[in-house]
């Protein structure tokens, strides 16, 4: 791995950590806070692509695991990997991998700006919402013994916010691609 | 960024980090296999007693557990409502015990020890040619180094919005933040290579 790729991944991990310092919004009756950090996960995919994006998300999770309060709300330590919502954290890895892979597959420099934005949105929505929720809900359902339908109902309220984040990630991904293109191109 | 590690010289502090992680893995498996609420309550109490023995103050224990309290209580209530009070209690004590034991390992292990464990665990992957084990420590150091810088960059961009009479919006904040941050990657990479940090044996 080139040093530049390693540095890009580390810098993006730092961006994801910084986004977690924006205070999370709790929706009261559901045990998952809404944060800008999951937006950071989608952004890592659309900006850096699958490989470097995944490394940056893994770095954030490693930092959390070794006891640094890098997750939103100052959470960190091994306890975050022993909670009912751990599936969403593990899901970040698959979310960024999917988002990055789809971005590389769908978006190219020769497309019109609007087409690029729509393709980035599809990538962020599929990876950052669908894949993420499949991981999070499955884990919640299996570990707590709640069952899939109840775990799904409990997570439903967060989906609109995450779709909005996919829109932001798409607009930002396209703007970064114009300003400083880093996304690996399909050959 | 303050680590959740707490200085000390207890038995837990002196145990190798790898042994603590292995023990935590075994304990969590046991906690998931046993469905007895009384046993799980005992385990949660043991985890709490561990914190007291390490002389962690009540306010500090609360500060560490606060992020988990809401999640654990809500899941336990959900379970109690749908599957009965007994299962709700079982879920509550199991999740509380898990969080407390994990927190014990975090409190007694330094960041450096953890990086050592990860580097050693990555050695087989290095032999397969997938990554360089030493890169793990380097990357972790880079992230810790750059978080404060990105935060101050964020404030500069936000203030630039105010100076122009613009309302800060997510896209107009995030795009310059990403571009200015990632543009410094070339310089940082050149500095790392110039010092030969990654080629050292």
């Amino acid at each position: 791995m080139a040093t530049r790729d390693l540095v890009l991944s580390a810098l993006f991990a730092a961006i994801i950590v910084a986004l977690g310092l924006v205070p999370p919004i709790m929706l009261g009756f559901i045990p998952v806070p809404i944060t800008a950090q999951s937006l950071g996960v989608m952004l890592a995919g659309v900006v850096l692509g699958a490989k470097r994006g995944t490394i940056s998300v893994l770095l954030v999770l490693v930092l959390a695991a070794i006891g640094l309060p890098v997750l939103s709300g100052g959470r960190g330590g091994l306890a975050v990997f022993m909670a009912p919502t751990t599936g969403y954290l593990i899901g970040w890895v698959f979310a960024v991998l999917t988002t990055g892979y789809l971005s590389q597959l769908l978006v190219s420099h020769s497309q019109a700006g609007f087409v690029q934005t729509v393709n980035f949105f599809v990538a962020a929505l599929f990876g950052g919402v669908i894949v993420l929720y499949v991981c999070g809900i499955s884990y919640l359902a299996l570990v707590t013994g709640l069952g899939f339908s109840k775990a799904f109902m409990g997570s439903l309220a967060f989906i609109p916010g995450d779709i909005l984040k996919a829109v932001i990630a798409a607009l930002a991904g396209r703007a970064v691609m114009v300003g400083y293109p880093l996304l690996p191109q399909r050959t | 960024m303050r680590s959740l590690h707490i200085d000390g010289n207890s038995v837990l502090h002196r145990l190798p980090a790898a042994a603590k992680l292995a023990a935590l893995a075994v304990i969590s498996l046991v906690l998931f296999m046993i469905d007895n609420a009384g046993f799980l309550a005992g385990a949660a109490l043991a985890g709490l007693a561990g914190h007291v023995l390490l002389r962690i103050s009540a306010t500090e224990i609360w500060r560490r557990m606060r992020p988990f309290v809401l999640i654990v209580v809500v899941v336990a209530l959900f379970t109690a409502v749908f599957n009965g009070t007994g299962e709700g209690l079982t879920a509550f004590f199991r999740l509380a015990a898990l969080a407390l034991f994990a927190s014990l390992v975090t409190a007694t292990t330094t960041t450096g020890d953890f990086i050592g464990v990860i580097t050693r665990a990555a050695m087989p992957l290095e032999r397969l040619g997938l990554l360089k084990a030493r890169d793990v420590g380097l990357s972790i150091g880079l992230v810790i180094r750059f978080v404060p810088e990105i935060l101050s960059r964020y404030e500069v961009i936000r203030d630039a919005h105010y100076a122009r009479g613009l309302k800060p919006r997510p896209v107009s904040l995030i795009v310059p933040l990403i571009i200015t941050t990632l543009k410094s990657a070339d310089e940082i990479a050149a500095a790392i290579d110039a010092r030969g940090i990654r080629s050292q044996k």
Side-chain angles (χ1 to χ4, degrees):
Chain A
M1 191 184 188
T3 308
R4 181 169 181 264
D5 288 333
L6 186 131
V7 173
L8 282 171
S9 305
L11 286 176
F12 218 101
I15 291 177
I16 296 175
V17 173
L19 285 176
L21 296 168
V22 181
I25 310 152
M26 297 294 280
L27 273 193
F29 55 100
I30 287 152
V32 193
I34 291 188
T35 68
Q37 217 157 24
S38 56
L39 172 63
V41 174
M42 296 182 204
L43 285 168
V46 298
V47 171
L48 292 182
K51 190 183 170 195
R52 292 173 298 189
T54 305
I55 292 171
S56 64
V57 168
L58 282 173
L59 266 174
V60 175
L61 295 181
V62 167
L63 283 163
I66 67 177
L68 295 165
V70 293
L71 300 177
S72 56
R75 285 174 306 138
L78 287 166
V80 295
F81 293 94
M82 299 262 167
T85 47
T86 300
Y88 288 95
L89 283 185
I90 298 166
W92 278 7
V93 179
F94 300 100
V96 67
L97 190 66
T98 313
T99 305
Y101 176 76
L102 286 179
S103 300
Q104 284 169 236
L105 191 73
L106 297 173
V107 182
S108 79
H109 285 291
S110 55
Q111 290 165 338
F114 180 71
V115 178
Q116 288 174 337
T117 310
V118 170
N119 286 341
F120 272 133
F121 175 70
V122 171
L125 187 73
F126 197 79
V129 182
I130 297 174
V131 171
L132 182 72
Y133 277 83
V134 166
C135 295
I137 291 171
S138 313
Y139 189 94
L140 187 65
L142 296 175
V143 168
T144 61
L146 269 179
F148 277 90
S149 55
K150 281 160 212 151
F152 179 75
M153 295 302 282
S155 308
L156 213 55
F158 297 96
I159 293 179
D162 280 330
I163 292 173
L164 189 66
K165 282 184 217 167
V167 174
I168 297 171
L171 292 169
R174 141 96 179 130
V176 173
M177 194 171 175
V178 172
Y180 189 59
L182 287 164
L183 190 72
Q185 285 292 295
R186 189 166 37 121
T187 46
Chain B
M1 202 162 38
R2 241 182 87 232
S3 165
L4 294 165
H5 168 73
I6 291 174
D7 281 329
N9 194 30
S10 69
V11 181
L12 270 179
H13 279 92
R14 280 173 285 157
L15 268 179
K20 280 181 272 189
L21 288 170
L24 182 63
V26 172
I27 289 174
S28 59
L29 272 180
V30 170
L31 290 177
F32 272 113
M33 281 186 306
I34 293 176
D35 271 330
N36 183 323
F39 174 85
L40 292 169
L45 270 179
L48 197 60
H51 284 78
V52 176
L53 285 175
L54 287 171
R55 308 219 171 138
I56 301 173
S57 68
T59 44
E60 181 61 24
I61 297 176
W62 170 244
R63 197 177 72 84
R64 284 160 178 266
M65 287 298 129
R66 199 182 46 199
F68 306 102
V69 170
L70 186 65
I71 299 172
V72 169
V73 168
V74 170
V75 168
L77 280 178
F78 241 72
T79 314
V81 169
F82 290 109
N83 300 346
T85 318
E87 282 202 36
L89 277 176
T90 310
F92 176 80
F93 286 124
R94 175 182 289 140
L95 297 169
L98 282 171
L100 285 162
F101 279 117
S103 158
L104 276 181
V105 177
T106 302
T108 56
T109 313
T110 63
T111 306
D113 286 345
F114 273 125
I115 293 177
V117 171
I118 297 167
T119 306
R120 259 174 285 136
M123 288 311 268
L125 296 175
E126 176 168 313
R127 259 171 248 130
L128 287 174
L130 286 173
L131 51 82
K132 282 190 191 165
R134 293 174 55 97
D135 283 352
V136 178
L138 173 65
S139 323
I140 290 172
L142 277 174
V143 180
I144 296 172
R145 159 74 179 74
F146 282 102
V147 168
E149 196 154 311
I150 290 167
L151 282 177
S152 60
R153 200 169 271 164
Y154 177 86
E155 280 162 17
V156 168
I157 295 168
R158 194 197 50 203
D159 290 347
H161 277 75
Y162 290 136
R164 288 169 179 80
L166 299 170
K167 203 167 159 270
R169 291 181 190 285
V171 175
S172 64
L173 282 173
I174 286 170
V175 171
L177 184 71
I178 291 176
I179 292 178
T180 55
T181 303
L182 297 187
K183 269 191 174 167
S184 56
D186 287 318
E187 280 171 43
I188 300 164
I192 290 172
D193 285 339
R195 285 163 181 78
I197 289 170
R198 295 184 77 215
S199 55
Q200 277 173 7
K201 277 284 158 212

